[in-house]
Amino acid sequence: MKAILQGAFLLLAMCLPASSQDAKKPDDILQKKDGGLLVGRVLRMETETIDFVANGEKEARKIALRDLMPYSVYRLKLDRLDRKSGQARFDLGEFCMANGLYSTATREFEEAASIDANLADKAKKRRDEAHNEDGRAKFEEVKKLHLRKEYDEAKTIVRILLEKYADTPYADEAKKEDAKMAEEITKDNEAKKAQLAEKEKAAADAGLKKVEDATKVSIARTVELIEEAQKAWGDGLDHDGKNLTKADRAWKTSEMALVSAKRNVDALLKSNDVAVLQKAKELEKQADVLLVKTYYRLGR
């Protein structure tokens, strides 16, 4: 039984390296400066170019490193250097500095110092310079976002500067920029409130004007109805004693006009406008007087 177990362990030990060798290496992913992505395999990397076979293609193509985004080149270099070499990590940090990858450069200089004690002082100096440049780049981004009024994004970077770059001059500059943004945000909010109040006032004025216009129309129509009733009542008198049917028809026309006028008056009497109320009462009196006379004639 013991021999069987030992044999099984030996077989497993022999299989592990084989499976590791057979494992497929992840594809290389290259990001081009024009925004395109290339997925495939880097066959060879030289100082200024790489030989690359894209997935689905058979022939290799030569690509200039200058056409790739700096971080893509950094990843290629990192995957192919001796990670235990302090000088290699230091040189990679210098590449990052030259291409604006300041936070990555900071990390590479720290790695170089931890690997090679002989590089510690030089790497620390360059690390501090990279850290300072990273703070400057982030502050420049804050200013760009500020100009575009993208305050939330700008304030996020300001917080990073205050928390992680307090040892650089850009933390204080970020505070000043943040104060300016706060002042602008306050002014913008006040302006928005003023605009909203103006819109609300305009809407209220428009509504008031609409009510005023409707009131004017209602008064004018009431006057017309009373005048129509007055004319119809007079026509009834003209036919009285001559043609009872026509007289009856005229006085009923007068009644209908006066009933409509009274409905308008009832609505006008609910107004809060003193002038409208006064006019409504005058019209009510005219309509009531004429309505009594009309009902008298119809009663006869």
Side-chain angles (χ1 to χ4, degrees):
M1 181 67 177
K2 185 176 180 181
I4 294 174
L5 289 173
Q6 288 177 340
F9 281 128
L10 180 60
L11 180 61
L12 179 62
M14 292 175 64
C15 291
L16 282 175
S19 63
S20 297
Q21 290 174 1
D22 292 340
K24 184 179 179 181
K25 185 179 178 182
D27 288 330
D28 292 311
I29 301 176
L30 308 180
Q31 184 178 6
K32 299 174 67 179
K33 287 183 178 178
D34 63 8
L37 286 177
L38 295 173
V39 181
R41 176 76 57 223
V42 174
L43 301 180
R44 182 172 59 182
M45 184 171 184
E46 299 179 349
T47 304
E48 296 183 357
T49 61
I50 58 171
D51 292 338
F52 182 82
V53 177
N55 287 347
E57 296 181 3
K58 295 182 179 180
E59 297 296 326
R61 64 174 83 175
K62 193 173 290 291
I63 300 173
L65 294 181
R66 65 175 179 273
D67 293 333
L68 301 177
M69 293 295 287
Y71 192 78
S72 280
V73 179
Y74 161 75
R75 290 301 312 178
L76 291 174
K77 288 178 177 289
L78 179 64
D79 291 342
R80 288 159 178 77
L81 59 73
D82 179 2
R83 297 199 180 199
K84 295 182 179 179
S85 169
Q87 186 61 52
R89 302 304 291 259
F90 186 90
D91 293 341
L92 188 55
E94 291 294 357
F95 167 81
C96 292
M97 285 289 282
N99 288 276
L101 304 174
Y102 301 119
S103 61
T104 310
T106 299
R107 186 167 62 250
E108 290 301 324
F109 290 132
E110 289 173 350
E111 288 290 335
S114 67
I115 293 170
D116 190 342
N118 294 325
L119 293 172
D121 291 341
K122 183 168 69 168
K124 181 182 182 304
K125 180 181 178 183
R126 289 299 281 159
R127 180 265 174 207
D128 292 343
E129 291 172 353
H131 179 67
N132 192 73
E133 281 299 297
D134 195 23
R136 180 193 62 76
K138 284 180 169 55
F139 177 64
E140 291 298 325
E141 184 64 19
V142 168
K143 290 197 293 184
K144 291 178 183 177
L145 292 168
H146 181 183
L147 287 174
R148 297 200 296 264
K149 294 186 179 295
E150 297 177 14
Y151 297 120
D152 290 341
E153 292 84 350
K155 284 181 170 292
T156 297
I157 301 177
V158 166
R159 284 194 294 271
I160 294 173
L161 284 167
L162 296 178
E163 291 172 4
K164 298 183 178 180
Y165 298 82
D167 55 343
T168 72
Y170 302 105
D172 288 336
E173 293 297 322
K175 286 182 182 177
K176 296 175 185 177
E177 202 72 16
D178 192 44
K180 292 178 184 177
M181 287 191 289
E183 185 178 350
E184 287 181 15
I185 290 171
T186 300
K187 288 182 178 178
D188 286 348
N189 289 337
E190 289 175 352
K192 288 177 183 177
K193 287 181 182 178
Q195 288 176 359
L196 180 60
E198 187 175 344
K199 286 182 180 179
E200 290 176 348
K201 183 178 181 302
D205 290 345
L208 182 60
K209 186 176 185 304
K210 187 176 180 180
V211 171
E212 290 176 349
D213 291 344
T215 300
K216 290 177 181 178
V217 170
S218 182
I219 290 174
R221 180 55 183 155
T222 303
V223 171
E224 289 177 0
L225 287 169
I226 292 174
E227 290 176 349
E228 290 173 6
Q230 182 70 47
K231 181 179 183 301
W233 186 80
D235 290 343
L237 285 181
D238 291 341
H239 294 296
D240 190 23
K242 300 175 184 177
N243 189 325
L244 187 58
T245 300
K246 289 185 178 180
D248 183 70
R249 188 183 300 122
W251 287 324
K252 285 183 177 178
T253 300
S254 176
E255 178 196 17
M256 291 175 60
L258 290 169
V259 170
S260 296
K262 287 282 288 182
R263 278 200 298 267
N264 289 351
V265 167
D266 288 342
L268 293 170
L269 287 171
K270 296 176 183 178
S271 174
N272 294 322
D273 190 306
V274 175
V276 173
L277 283 173
Q278 184 177 353
K279 184 64 176 176
K281 289 177 181 179
E282 291 176 2
L283 293 172
E284 182 182 36
K285 185 176 180 180
Q286 293 175 27
D288 285 343
V289 170
L290 190 53
L291 195 57
V292 169
K293 292 165 65 175
T294 300
Y295 282 145
Y296 173 75
R297 290 294 175 178
L298 284 171
R300 289 185 61 198

mmCIF file of all heavy atoms in Angstrom, residues 92-132:
data_model
loop_
_atom_site.group_PDB
_atom_site.id
_atom_site.type_symbol
_atom_site.label_atom_id
_atom_site.label_comp_id
_atom_site.label_asym_id
_atom_site.label_seq_id
_atom_site.Cartn_x
_atom_site.Cartn_y
_atom_site.Cartn_z
ATOM 1 N N LEU A 92 13.790 50.955 -16.068
ATOM 2 C CA LEU A 92 12.373 50.964 -16.423
ATOM 3 C C LEU A 92 11.680 52.185 -15.802
ATOM 4 O O LEU A 92 10.799 52.786 -16.414
ATOM 5 C CB LEU A 92 11.702 49.672 -15.947
ATOM 6 C CG LEU A 92 10.252 49.445 -16.415
ATOM 7 C CD1 LEU A 92 10.149 49.529 -17.932
ATOM 8 C CD2 LEU A 92 9.732 48.111 -15.915
ATOM 9 N N GLY A 93 12.115 52.537 -14.597
ATOM 10 C CA GLY A 93 11.593 53.759 -13.970
ATOM 11 C C GLY A 93 11.927 54.987 -14.784
ATOM 12 O O GLY A 93 11.092 55.896 -14.936
ATOM 13 N N GLU A 94 13.130 55.034 -15.340
ATOM 14 C CA GLU A 94 13.527 56.165 -16.177
ATOM 15 C C GLU A 94 12.678 56.224 -17.454
ATOM 16 O O GLU A 94 12.315 57.310 -17.920
ATOM 17 C CB GLU A 94 15.012 56.060 -16.536
ATOM 18 C CG GLU A 94 15.958 56.266 -15.374
ATOM 19 C CD GLU A 94 15.930 57.676 -14.817
ATOM 20 O OE1 GLU A 94 15.209 58.544 -15.361
ATOM 21 O OE2 GLU A 94 16.625 57.942 -13.825
ATOM 22 N N PHE A 95 12.370 55.049 -18.018
ATOM 23 C CA PHE A 95 11.484 55.021 -19.176
ATOM 24 C C PHE A 95 10.125 55.619 -18.812
ATOM 25 O O PHE A 95 9.558 56.412 -19.574
ATOM 26 C CB PHE A 95 11.312 53.573 -19.665
ATOM 27 C CG PHE A 95 10.177 53.409 -20.641
ATOM 28 C CD1 PHE A 95 10.333 53.727 -21.983
ATOM 29 C CD2 PHE A 95 8.915 52.965 -20.212
ATOM 30 C CE1 PHE A 95 9.280 53.597 -22.881
ATOM 31 C CE2 PHE A 95 7.867 52.837 -21.100
ATOM 32 C CZ PHE A 95 8.041 53.147 -22.435
ATOM 33 N N CYS A 96 9.612 55.254 -17.662
ATOM 34 C CA CYS A 96 8.315 55.775 -17.219
ATOM 35 C C CYS A 96 8.371 57.294 -17.024
ATOM 36 O O CYS A 96 7.432 58.007 -17.395
ATOM 37 C CB CYS A 96 7.893 55.097 -15.919
ATOM 38 S SG CYS A 96 7.505 53.339 -16.099
ATOM 39 N N MET A 97 9.448 57.779 -16.464
ATOM 40 C CA MET A 97 9.608 59.232 -16.272
ATOM 41 C C MET A 97 9.604 59.954 -17.613
ATOM 42 O O MET A 97 8.952 61.003 -17.764
ATOM 43 C CB MET A 97 10.920 59.529 -15.539
ATOM 44 C CG MET A 97 10.899 59.218 -14.063
ATOM 45 S SD MET A 97 9.880 60.372 -13.108
ATOM 46 C CE MET A 97 10.973 61.794 -13.014
ATOM 47 N N ALA A 98 10.280 59.390 -18.583
ATOM 48 C CA ALA A 98 10.381 60.030 -19.896
ATOM 49 C C ALA A 98 9.038 60.041 -20.630
ATOM 50 O O ALA A 98 8.819 60.867 -21.521
ATOM 51 C CB ALA A 98 11.431 59.310 -20.747
ATOM 52 N N ASN A 99 8.140 59.140 -20.237
ATOM 53 C CA ASN A 99 6.856 59.020 -20.938
ATOM 54 C C ASN A 99 5.659 59.437 -20.089
ATOM 55 O O ASN A 99 4.511 59.125 -20.429
ATOM 56 C CB ASN A 99 6.676 57.581 -21.429
ATOM 57 C CG ASN A 99 7.583 57.248 -22.587
ATOM 58 O OD1 ASN A 99 7.270 57.523 -23.739
ATOM 59 N ND2 ASN A 99 8.735 56.663 -22.277
ATOM 60 N N GLY A 100 5.907 60.158 -19.004
ATOM 61 C CA GLY A 100 4.816 60.717 -18.211
ATOM 62 C C GLY A 100 4.098 59.728 -17.312
ATOM 63 O O GLY A 100 3.035 60.043 -16.772
ATOM 64 N N LEU A 101 4.665 58.543 -17.119
ATOM 65 C CA LEU A 101 4.056 57.548 -16.227
ATOM 66 C C LEU A 101 4.645 57.697 -14.827
ATOM 67 O O LEU A 101 5.353 56.819 -14.321
ATOM 68 C CB LEU A 101 4.290 56.127 -16.777
ATOM 69 C CG LEU A 101 3.789 55.867 -18.204
ATOM 70 C CD1 LEU A 101 4.216 54.472 -18.678
ATOM 71 C CD2 LEU A 101 2.269 56.005 -18.278
ATOM 72 N N TYR A 102 4.328 58.811 -14.207
ATOM 73 C CA TYR A 102 5.035 59.173 -12.974
ATOM 74 C C TYR A 102 4.712 58.258 -11.798
ATOM 75 O O TYR A 102 5.605 57.897 -11.020
ATOM 76 C CB TYR A 102 4.725 60.621 -12.611
ATOM 77 C CG TYR A 102 5.118 61.587 -13.703
ATOM 78 C CD1 TYR A 102 4.158 62.386 -14.328
ATOM 79 C CD2 TYR A 102 6.439 61.683 -14.128
ATOM 80 C CE1 TYR A 102 4.510 63.258 -15.349
ATOM 81 C CE2 TYR A 102 6.803 62.550 -15.155
ATOM 82 C CZ TYR A 102 5.823 63.339 -15.756
ATOM 83 O OH TYR A 102 6.185 64.196 -16.762
ATOM 84 N N SER A 103 3.456 57.883 -11.615
ATOM 85 C CA SER A 103 3.127 57.002 -10.487
ATOM 86 C C SER A 103 3.774 55.626 -10.679
ATOM 87 O O SER A 103 4.234 55.013 -9.712
ATOM 88 C CB SER A 103 1.611 56.859 -10.347
ATOM 89 O OG SER A 103 1.045 56.289 -11.512
ATOM 90 N N THR A 104 3.832 55.158 -11.938
ATOM 91 C CA THR A 104 4.490 53.880 -12.230
ATOM 92 C C THR A 104 5.992 54.003 -12.012
ATOM 93 O O THR A 104 6.638 53.084 -11.487
ATOM 94 C CB THR A 104 4.197 53.450 -13.677
ATOM 95 O OG1 THR A 104 2.797 53.517 -13.912
ATOM 96 C CG2 THR A 104 4.681 52.037 -13.929
ATOM 97 N N ALA A 105 6.558 55.145 -12.391
ATOM 98 C CA ALA A 105 7.982 55.379 -12.169
ATOM 99 C C ALA A 105 8.303 55.344 -10.677
ATOM 100 O O ALA A 105 9.322 54.772 -10.254
ATOM 101 C CB ALA A 105 8.384 56.731 -12.763
ATOM 102 N N THR A 106 7.438 55.938 -9.867
ATOM 103 C CA THR A 106 7.639 55.921 -8.416
ATOM 104 C C THR A 106 7.766 54.486 -7.918
ATOM 105 O O THR A 106 8.670 54.163 -7.128
ATOM 106 C CB THR A 106 6.437 56.599 -7.709
ATOM 107 O OG1 THR A 106 6.350 57.955 -8.149
ATOM 108 C CG2 THR A 106 6.612 56.581 -6.202
ATOM 109 N N ARG A 107 6.873 53.625 -8.381
ATOM 110 C CA ARG A 107 6.887 52.229 -7.949
ATOM 111 C C ARG A 107 8.154 51.515 -8.418
ATOM 112 O O ARG A 107 8.751 50.732 -7.657
ATOM 113 C CB ARG A 107 5.651 51.528 -8.494
ATOM 114 C CG ARG A 107 5.478 50.113 -8.000
ATOM 115 C CD ARG A 107 4.098 49.570 -8.310
ATOM 116 N NE ARG A 107 3.821 49.512 -9.736
ATOM 117 C CZ ARG A 107 2.958 50.285 -10.368
ATOM 118 N NH1 ARG A 107 2.282 51.215 -9.715
ATOM 119 N NH2 ARG A 107 2.748 50.156 -11.671
ATOM 120 N N GLU A 108 8.593 51.777 -9.642
ATOM 121 C CA GLU A 108 9.789 51.113 -10.169
ATOM 122 C C GLU A 108 11.046 51.548 -9.416
ATOM 123 O O GLU A 108 11.923 50.717 -9.121
ATOM 124 C CB GLU A 108 9.934 51.394 -11.663
ATOM 125 C CG GLU A 108 8.891 50.716 -12.527
ATOM 126 C CD GLU A 108 8.897 49.209 -12.375
ATOM 127 O OE1 GLU A 108 9.994 48.616 -12.203
ATOM 128 O OE2 GLU A 108 7.803 48.617 -12.406
ATOM 129 N N PHE A 109 11.158 52.819 -9.070
ATOM 130 C CA PHE A 109 12.328 53.282 -8.311
ATOM 131 C C PHE A 109 12.332 52.683 -6.901
ATOM 132 O O PHE A 109 13.397 52.362 -6.355
ATOM 133 C CB PHE A 109 12.353 54.806 -8.245
ATOM 134 C CG PHE A 109 12.672 55.464 -9.570
ATOM 135 C CD1 PHE A 109 11.909 56.523 -10.051
ATOM 136 C CD2 PHE A 109 13.745 55.024 -10.343
ATOM 137 C CE1 PHE A 109 12.188 57.122 -11.270
ATOM 138 C CE2 PHE A 109 14.045 55.628 -11.575
ATOM 139 C CZ PHE A 109 13.259 56.669 -12.034
ATOM 140 N N GLU A 110 11.158 52.526 -6.334
ATOM 141 C CA GLU A 110 11.071 51.883 -5.018
ATOM 142 C C GLU A 110 11.526 50.427 -5.114
ATOM 143 O O GLU A 110 12.225 49.922 -4.221
ATOM 144 C CB GLU A 110 9.637 51.953 -4.498
ATOM 145 C CG GLU A 110 9.214 53.355 -4.076
ATOM 146 C CD GLU A 110 7.738 53.450 -3.731
ATOM 147 O OE1 GLU A 110 7.008 52.473 -4.004
ATOM 148 O OE2 GLU A 110 7.307 54.497 -3.200
ATOM 149 N N GLU A 111 11.128 49.730 -6.188
ATOM 150 C CA GLU A 111 11.554 48.348 -6.395
ATOM 151 C C GLU A 111 13.067 48.273 -6.569
ATOM 152 O O GLU A 111 13.730 47.387 -6.019
ATOM 153 C CB GLU A 111 10.856 47.764 -7.626
ATOM 154 C CG GLU A 111 9.381 47.483 -7.442
ATOM 155 C CD GLU A 111 9.128 46.324 -6.509
ATOM 156 O OE1 GLU A 111 10.017 45.455 -6.372
ATOM 157 O OE2 GLU A 111 8.054 46.289 -5.887
ATOM 158 N N ALA A 112 13.612 49.206 -7.356
ATOM 159 C CA ALA A 112 15.062 49.215 -7.593
ATOM 160 C C ALA A 112 15.822 49.382 -6.280
ATOM 161 O O ALA A 112 16.816 48.686 -6.032
ATOM 162 C CB ALA A 112 15.424 50.335 -8.564
ATOM 163 N N ALA A 113 15.362 50.279 -5.422
ATOM 164 C CA ALA A 113 16.037 50.530 -4.138
ATOM 165 C C ALA A 113 15.941 49.313 -3.228
ATOM 166 O O ALA A 113 16.893 49.005 -2.497
ATOM 167 C CB ALA A 113 15.409 51.745 -3.462
ATOM 168 N N SER A 114 14.811 48.622 -3.260
ATOM 169 C CA SER A 114 14.650 47.461 -2.381
ATOM 170 C C SER A 114 15.476 46.261 -2.848
ATOM 171 O O SER A 114 15.870 45.420 -2.045
ATOM 172 C CB SER A 114 13.165 47.062 -2.310
ATOM 173 O OG SER A 114 12.713 46.586 -3.570
ATOM 174 N N ILE A 115 15.759 46.199 -4.159
ATOM 175 C CA ILE A 115 16.521 45.067 -4.702
ATOM 176 C C ILE A 115 18.024 45.294 -4.577
ATOM 177 O O ILE A 115 18.782 44.391 -4.209
ATOM 178 C CB ILE A 115 16.137 44.834 -6.180
ATOM 179 C CG1 ILE A 115 14.686 44.365 -6.280
ATOM 180 C CG2 ILE A 115 17.061 43.806 -6.824
ATOM 181 C CD1 ILE A 115 14.153 44.334 -7.699
ATOM 182 N N ASP A 116 18.472 46.495 -4.891
ATOM 183 C CA ASP A 116 19.912 46.792 -4.949
ATOM 184 C C ASP A 116 20.232 47.949 -4.006
ATOM 185 O O ASP A 116 19.880 49.100 -4.286
ATOM 186 C CB ASP A 116 20.305 47.135 -6.386
ATOM 187 C CG ASP A 116 21.815 47.212 -6.581
ATOM 188 O OD1 ASP A 116 22.534 47.346 -5.566
ATOM 189 O OD2 ASP A 116 22.260 47.156 -7.745
ATOM 190 N N ALA A 117 20.916 47.649 -2.904
ATOM 191 C CA ALA A 117 21.257 48.669 -1.914
ATOM 192 C C ALA A 117 22.179 49.733 -2.499
ATOM 193 O O ALA A 117 22.163 50.894 -2.050
ATOM 194 C CB ALA A 117 21.926 48.028 -0.694
ATOM 195 N N ASN A 118 22.976 49.361 -3.492
ATOM 196 C CA ASN A 118 23.891 50.332 -4.103
ATOM 197 C C ASN A 118 23.131 51.428 -4.862
ATOM 198 O O ASN A 118 23.676 52.496 -5.117
ATOM 199 C CB ASN A 118 24.847 49.623 -5.066
ATOM 200 C CG ASN A 118 25.784 48.678 -4.340
ATOM 201 O OD1 ASN A 118 26.204 48.964 -3.219
ATOM 202 N ND2 ASN A 118 26.105 47.544 -4.960
ATOM 203 N N LEU A 119 21.886 51.126 -5.244
ATOM 204 C CA LEU A 119 21.069 52.101 -5.974
ATOM 205 C C LEU A 119 20.130 52.883 -5.049
ATOM 206 O O LEU A 119 19.376 53.743 -5.522
ATOM 207 C CB LEU A 119 20.227 51.388 -7.040
ATOM 208 C CG LEU A 119 20.980 50.752 -8.210
ATOM 209 C CD1 LEU A 119 20.022 49.921 -9.054
ATOM 210 C CD2 LEU A 119 21.638 51.824 -9.078
ATOM 211 N N ALA A 120 20.151 52.565 -3.759
ATOM 212 C CA ALA A 120 19.153 53.098 -2.823
ATOM 213 C C ALA A 120 19.062 54.615 -2.853
ATOM 214 O O ALA A 120 17.974 55.191 -2.989
ATOM 215 C CB ALA A 120 19.435 52.599 -1.417
ATOM 216 N N ASP A 121 20.215 55.293 -2.716
ATOM 217 C CA ASP A 121 20.200 56.770 -2.644
ATOM 218 C C ASP A 121 19.720 57.376 -3.961
ATOM 219 O O ASP A 121 18.863 58.274 -3.979
ATOM 220 C CB ASP A 121 21.592 57.296 -2.294
ATOM 221 C CG ASP A 121 21.995 56.958 -0.870
ATOM 222 O OD1 ASP A 121 21.083 56.653 -0.058
ATOM 223 O OD2 ASP A 121 23.200 56.973 -0.566
ATOM 224 N N LYS A 122 20.296 56.884 -5.056
ATOM 225 C CA LYS A 122 19.934 57.426 -6.367
ATOM 226 C C LYS A 122 18.458 57.134 -6.679
ATOM 227 O O LYS A 122 17.729 57.996 -7.189
ATOM 228 C CB LYS A 122 20.838 56.824 -7.441
ATOM 229 C CG LYS A 122 20.576 57.388 -8.833
ATOM 230 C CD LYS A 122 21.669 56.993 -9.824
ATOM 231 C CE LYS A 122 21.638 55.519 -10.137
ATOM 232 N NZ LYS A 122 22.510 55.176 -11.309
ATOM 233 N N ALA A 123 18.018 55.916 -6.348
ATOM 234 C CA ALA A 123 16.630 55.540 -6.627
ATOM 235 C C ALA A 123 15.658 56.345 -5.771
ATOM 236 O O ALA A 123 14.581 56.732 -6.234
ATOM 237 C CB ALA A 123 16.432 54.047 -6.383
ATOM 238 N N LYS A 124 16.056 56.597 -4.511
ATOM 239 C CA LYS A 124 15.176 57.390 -3.635
ATOM 240 C C LYS A 124 15.018 58.811 -4.171
ATOM 241 O O LYS A 124 13.921 59.385 -4.158
ATOM 242 C CB LYS A 124 15.721 57.432 -2.216
ATOM 243 C CG LYS A 124 14.827 58.215 -1.254
ATOM 244 C CD LYS A 124 15.412 58.281 0.136
ATOM 245 C CE LYS A 124 14.448 59.037 1.071
ATOM 246 N NZ LYS A 124 14.105 60.374 0.587
ATOM 247 N N LYS A 125 16.136 59.375 -4.642
ATOM 248 C CA LYS A 125 16.073 60.732 -5.194
ATOM 249 C C LYS A 125 15.141 60.778 -6.412
ATOM 250 O O LYS A 125 14.296 61.674 -6.526
ATOM 251 C CB LYS A 125 17.472 61.196 -5.594
ATOM 252 C CG LYS A 125 17.494 62.603 -6.174
ATOM 253 C CD LYS A 125 18.902 63.012 -6.568
ATOM 254 C CE LYS A 125 18.897 64.410 -7.182
ATOM 255 N NZ LYS A 125 20.248 64.817 -7.639
ATOM 256 N N ARG A 126 15.305 59.794 -7.289
ATOM 257 C CA ARG A 126 14.462 59.775 -8.485
ATOM 258 C C ARG A 126 13.000 59.451 -8.133
ATOM 259 O O ARG A 126 12.070 59.954 -8.768
ATOM 260 C CB ARG A 126 14.985 58.738 -9.485
ATOM 261 C CG ARG A 126 16.280 59.125 -10.134
ATOM 262 C CD ARG A 126 16.149 60.403 -10.927
ATOM 263 N NE ARG A 126 15.523 60.194 -12.222
ATOM 264 C CZ ARG A 126 14.930 61.138 -12.928
ATOM 265 N NH1 ARG A 126 14.840 62.374 -12.438
ATOM 266 N NH2 ARG A 126 14.397 60.880 -14.115
ATOM 267 N N ARG A 127 12.830 58.629 -7.099
ATOM 268 C CA ARG A 127 11.481 58.305 -6.647
ATOM 269 C C ARG A 127 10.774 59.563 -6.160
ATOM 270 O O ARG A 127 9.610 59.813 -6.480
ATOM 271 C CB ARG A 127 11.554 57.264 -5.531
ATOM 272 C CG ARG A 127 10.198 56.838 -4.984
ATOM 273 C CD ARG A 127 9.825 57.630 -3.741
ATOM 274 N NE ARG A 127 8.482 57.325 -3.306
ATOM 275 C CZ ARG A 127 7.702 58.145 -2.628
ATOM 276 N NH1 ARG A 127 8.127 59.373 -2.337
ATOM 277 N NH2 ARG A 127 6.495 57.790 -2.261
ATOM 278 N N ASP A 128 11.487 60.395 -5.382
ATOM 279 C CA ASP A 128 10.897 61.643 -4.882
ATOM 280 C C ASP A 128 10.571 62.592 -6.031
ATOM 281 O O ASP A 128 9.533 63.276 -6.015
ATOM 282 C CB ASP A 128 11.855 62.319 -3.895
ATOM 283 C CG ASP A 128 12.004 61.530 -2.597
ATOM 284 O OD1 ASP A 128 11.147 60.660 -2.336
ATOM 285 O OD2 ASP A 128 12.972 61.784 -1.845
ATOM 286 N N GLU A 129 11.447 62.630 -7.022
ATOM 287 C CA GLU A 129 11.197 63.484 -8.185
ATOM 288 C C GLU A 129 9.971 62.986 -8.967
ATOM 289 O O GLU A 129 9.151 63.795 -9.429
ATOM 290 C CB GLU A 129 12.435 63.505 -9.091
ATOM 291 C CG GLU A 129 13.623 64.239 -8.467
ATOM 292 C CD GLU A 129 14.900 64.085 -9.287
ATOM 293 O OE1 GLU A 129 14.885 63.297 -10.259
ATOM 294 O OE2 GLU A 129 15.907 64.738 -8.944
ATOM 295 N N ALA A 130 9.861 61.669 -9.110
ATOM 296 C CA ALA A 130 8.707 61.094 -9.816
ATOM 297 C C ALA A 130 7.418 61.380 -9.045
ATOM 298 O O ALA A 130 6.383 61.723 -9.633
ATOM 299 C CB ALA A 130 8.897 59.587 -9.986
ATOM 300 N N HIS A 131 7.492 61.237 -7.736
ATOM 301 C CA HIS A 131 6.328 61.511 -6.883
ATOM 302 C C HIS A 131 5.890 62.968 -7.026
ATOM 303 O O HIS A 131 4.698 63.269 -7.137
ATOM 304 C CB HIS A 131 6.697 61.192 -5.431
ATOM 305 C CG HIS A 131 5.601 61.458 -4.453
ATOM 306 N ND1 HIS A 131 4.425 60.737 -4.427
ATOM 307 C CD2 HIS A 131 5.504 62.389 -3.453
ATOM 308 C CE1 HIS A 131 3.652 61.198 -3.463
ATOM 309 N NE2 HIS A 131 4.266 62.199 -2.859
ATOM 310 N N ASN A 132 6.865 63.868 -7.053
ATOM 311 C CA ASN A 132 6.562 65.296 -7.205
ATOM 312 C C ASN A 132 5.950 65.579 -8.578
ATOM 313 O O ASN A 132 4.967 66.341 -8.698
ATOM 314 C CB ASN A 132 7.831 66.120 -7.013
ATOM 315 C CG ASN A 132 7.535 67.602 -6.870
ATOM 316 O OD1 ASN A 132 7.033 68.043 -5.847
ATOM 317 N ND2 ASN A 132 7.863 68.383 -7.894
#
